[in-house]
């Protein structure tokens, strides 16, 4: 008998197949004591296991490339954390085995992360995965991970570590469903990059029996257990129609009555450019530059290295627009040379622009490298600062850009509610705004983007979040300036129409989402989008907002 479950749809598409569960986590190793003379040998075993796991994560990242590579390299750095390894050595020195020392040290570090504020608490799942891999290697048991199967299947997991998501084979893994996670978790972002349908934050997903046939709608978040023949036919027909529409949709983004809405790509480095170009991106709306700095947490990359990486991206979009976000360090992206090590709550501390203003040499080098990378190229370079709180922040950034001789537009990201509330003030210093809806939602609702239990508050359809978007767009219009969205909200085709109706002037997203947004936007007039936006803002919940907007656009 068909039953319906609902989670949070985070990656478009339909998947129908049998359930396969993620490999079980490593069991807790026994707490036995070792003689003192064995401590050095056990410490060596632990170090070898850590280095092997870190190397494996880096290798997986190199294979995956793009966004996945940056995430996995950050995980490798986590595995090799000096303080964590010192704790492992101490535990082994007083009698723990290598595997027990690793297990207990990671448990202690895990507790610190869980209580260290929103961003770092969101890294707990990544830390657990690193621990499991190290302990599995020490115990000589198979790594936890994606099951072996010769037949395509739908993967079910409590949560998916980046190392697993990055190398999913789309020909075998039709889609995946997790109990934890949210719309902006690492797994969700990587699923969109892979083009794999995915649903997260589904309570009880682990109770679905192995081999059960389910149908996953990655757009609506619906899961149909043992779907009827009629339901399967309906979903397959809908998926086929959507695919045909995507293939037929080409050219610049626009509403059906010709209102232009440039569709841009979010990228993490040169490796992401080919997919963006293939999807028809009109430029880059968010070039995350952290990938260059995560290679070595001890020092910033040289100006020459930065110039080469930036120019590779700029050359790919002649006559196009490329919006570069300067380094956003801190919180979940700590760097030894830049961010404080003892902040009680890094997500609310010295992060983003605050870190750069405390280290003006790092900011100056990056801005100078961008200026040199753009020399002689017919590209429209725009540079923006992360975590701008007020006009003073915006002025400090604009002044730094001018001092570096940067011939580009200067902008501010709206990720802190204060920047949306005082957008007209911020716009006295910069030439454009870019809404980072992931962090804006997180800070508006005090809801960690990695925690499934609060995923409803991370839903970009929340009317309060739409109010802040409207406020920012209205301010930009009043000042004769632009206001784009570069958060994951732009990847939802229906919400893209609403954002357009709110007055947003461009939309930036993962490359895989661009065709979906382009084809959906082309179905409606600007007036319809504006009416849908008004209906969504008048609602009292995210679900009501989504339903109200859909009703307007479908003519109900």
């Amino acid at each position: 008998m068909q039953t319906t479950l609902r989670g949070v749809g985070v990656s478009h598409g339909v998947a129908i197949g049998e359930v396969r569960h993620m490999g079980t986590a490593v069991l807790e190793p026994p707490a036995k004591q070792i003689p003192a003379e064995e401590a050095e040998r056990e410490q060596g075993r632990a170090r070898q296991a850590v280095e092997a796991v870190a190397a494996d994560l880096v290798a997986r990242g190199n294979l995956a490339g793009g966004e996945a590579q940056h995430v996995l390299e950050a995980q490798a750095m986590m595995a090799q954390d000096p303080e964590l390894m010192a704790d492992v050595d101490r535990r082994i020195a007083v009698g723990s085995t290598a595997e027990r020392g690793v297990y207990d040290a990671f448990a202690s570090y895990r507790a610190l992360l869980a209580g260290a504020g929103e961003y770092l608490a969101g890294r707990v799942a990544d830390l657990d995965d690193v621990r499991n891999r190290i302990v599995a290697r020490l115990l000589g048991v198979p790594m936890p991970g994606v099951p072996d199967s010769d037949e395509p299947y739908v993967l079910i997991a409590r949560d998916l570590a980046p190392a697993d998501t990055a190398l999913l084979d789309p020909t075998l893994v039709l889609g995946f469903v997790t109990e934890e996670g949210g719309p902006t978790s690492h797994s969700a972002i990587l699923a969109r990059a892979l083009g794999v349908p995915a649903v997260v934050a589904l309570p009880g997903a682990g109770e679905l029996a192995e081999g059960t046939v389910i149908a996953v709608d990655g757009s609506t978040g619906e899961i149909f257990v043992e779907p009827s023949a009629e339901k399967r036919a309906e979903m397959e027909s809908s998926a086929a129609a959507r695919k045909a529409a995507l293939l037929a949709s080409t050219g610049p983004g626009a509403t059906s009555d010709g209102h232009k809405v440039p569709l841009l790509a979010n990228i993490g480095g040169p490796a992401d450019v080919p997919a963006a170009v293939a999807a028809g991106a009109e430029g880059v709306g968010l070039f995350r530059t952290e990938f260059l700095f995560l290679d070595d947490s001890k020092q910033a990359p040289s100006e020459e290295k930065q110039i080469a990486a930036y120019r590779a991206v700029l050359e790919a979009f002649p006559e196009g627009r490329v919006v570069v976000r300067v380094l956003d360090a801190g919180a979940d992206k700590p760097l030894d040379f830049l961010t404080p090590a003892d902040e009680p709550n890094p997500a609310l501390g010295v992060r983003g622009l605050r870190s750069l203003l405390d280290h003006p040499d790092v900011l100056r080098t990056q801005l100078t490298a961008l200026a040199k990378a753009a020399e002689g190229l017919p590209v429209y370079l725009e540079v923006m600062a992360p975590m701008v709180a007020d006009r003073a922040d915006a002025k400090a950034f604009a002044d730094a850009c001018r001092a570096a001789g940067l011939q580009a537009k200067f902008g501010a990201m709206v990720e802190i509610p204060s920047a949306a509330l005082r957008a007209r003030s911020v716009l006295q210093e910069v030439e454009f705004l870019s809404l980072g809806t992931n962090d804006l939602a997180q800070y508006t609702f005090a809801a960690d983007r990695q925690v499934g239990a609060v995923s409803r508050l991370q839903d970009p359809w929340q009317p309060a979040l739409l109010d802040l978007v409207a406020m920012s767009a209205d301010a930009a219009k009043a000042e004769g300036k632009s206001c784009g969205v570069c958060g994951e909200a732009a990847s939802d085709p229906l919400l893209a129409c609403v954002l357009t109706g709110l007055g947003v002037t461009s939309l930036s997203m993962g490359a895989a989402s661009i065709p979906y947004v382009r084809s959906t936007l082309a179905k409606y007039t600007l007036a319809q989008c504006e009416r849908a936006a008004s209906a969504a803002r008048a609602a009292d919940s995210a679900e009501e907002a989504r339903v109200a907007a859909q009703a307007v656009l479908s003519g109900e």
Side-chain angles (χ1 to χ4, degrees), residues 155-537:
L155 182 62
I156 306 293
R158 181 171 185 80
D159 199 359
L160 277 173
D164 296 314
T165 316
L167 296 182
L168 289 180
D169 182 351
T171 64
L172 285 177
V173 181
L174 302 171
F176 67 76
V177 180
T178 66
E179 291 192 40
E180 298 293 332
T184 57
S185 66
H186 280 154
S187 292
I189 293 171
L190 294 177
R192 285 189 284 271
L194 287 167
V196 176
V199 172
V200 301
L202 179 70
E207 297 172 13
L208 291 167
E210 190 87 0
T212 302
V213 175
I214 63 173
V216 179
D217 189 324
S219 299
T220 66
E222 291 176 302
I223 307 291
F224 301 96
V225 182
E226 299 291 0
S228 64
E230 291 78 14
K231 173 54 71 174
R232 293 181 66 155
E234 174 191 328
M235 294 183 73
E236 288 169 350
S237 175
S238 175
R242 177 177 289 179
K243 185 175 181 179
L246 293 179
L247 292 173
S249 177
T250 58
T255 59
S256 63
D257 56 340
H259 175 72
K260 293 182 179 180
V261 186
L263 302 182
L264 312 171
N266 293 343
I267 68 169
D272 294 336
V273 168
V277 173
E282 297 169 60
V284 173
L286 173 61
F287 178 5
R288 305 180 183 95
T289 57
E290 288 75 41
F291 79 102
L292 278 167
F293 294 80
L294 291 174
D295 285 346
D296 183 354
S297 68
K298 304 296 183 184
Q299 61 183 359
S302 67
E303 181 180 302
E304 292 72 23
K305 183 177 180 179
Q306 292 190 54
I307 291 171
Y310 302 149
R311 194 168 181 90
V313 173
L314 296 175
E315 286 176 337
F317 295 95
E319 305 294 339
R321 176 186 178 201
V322 176
V323 184
V324 179
R325 181 180 70 190
V326 294
L327 176 62
D328 184 10
D332 64 336
K333 296 175 288 240
L335 295 170
D336 294 345
F337 66 88
L338 197 67
T339 49
D342 55 353
E343 282 193 296
N345 192 340
L348 300 179
V350 183
R351 178 192 167 192
L353 180 61
R354 299 167 187 174
S355 294
L356 293 174
L357 293 179
D358 280 351
H359 297 79
D361 54 323
V362 175
L363 177 59
R364 186 184 312 112
T365 299
Q366 184 170 25
L367 294 174
T368 301
L370 283 166
K372 291 181 178 179
E375 286 178 358
L377 295 180
V379 66
Y380 297 96
L381 175 63
E382 301 184 9
V383 183
M384 62 185 180
M387 302 299 290
V388 170
D390 56 15
R391 181 173 179 173
D393 278 352
K395 183 178 188 304
F397 178 65
D399 287 346
C401 289
R402 294 187 191 97
L406 193 61
Q407 299 297 311
K409 286 187 175 181
F410 317 140
M413 289 198 71
V414 178
E415 302 164 285
I416 302 173
S418 62
L421 294 168
R422 300 286 295 171
R424 288 198 71 170
S425 174
V426 170
L427 283 165
Q428 303 311 302
E429 305 295 341
V430 293
E431 297 171 84
F432 68 93
L433 300 177
S434 183
L435 288 144
T437 52
N438 305 347
D439 272 321
L440 185 58
Q442 178 167 247
Y443 290 120
T444 298
F445 297 103
D448 191 323
R449 57 198 283 187
Q450 299 291 330
V451 177
V454 294
S455 62
R456 77 173 185 85
L457 297 173
Q458 266 292 328
D459 192 326
W461 282 93
Q462 285 285 354
L465 186 64
L466 299 180
D467 287 344
L468 292 174
V469 173
M471 193 174 294
S472 303
D474 287 346
K477 183 177 181 180
E479 295 294 328
K481 297 179 179 180
S482 63
C483 176
V485 168
C486 64
E488 291 300 318
S491 65
D492 179 335
L494 182 62
L495 185 52
C497 295
V498 167
L499 294 173
T500 298
L502 292 174
V504 166
T505 56
S506 67
L507 299 167
S508 189
M509 65 210 76
S513 298
I514 290 175
Y516 290 92
V517 173
R518 182 192 293 118
S519 65
T520 302
L521 198 60
K523 296 177 184 177
Y524 308 108
T525 65
L526 176 60
Q528 285 176 300
C529 292
E530 290 171 341
R531 289 196 295 274
S534 296
R537 289 183 68 190

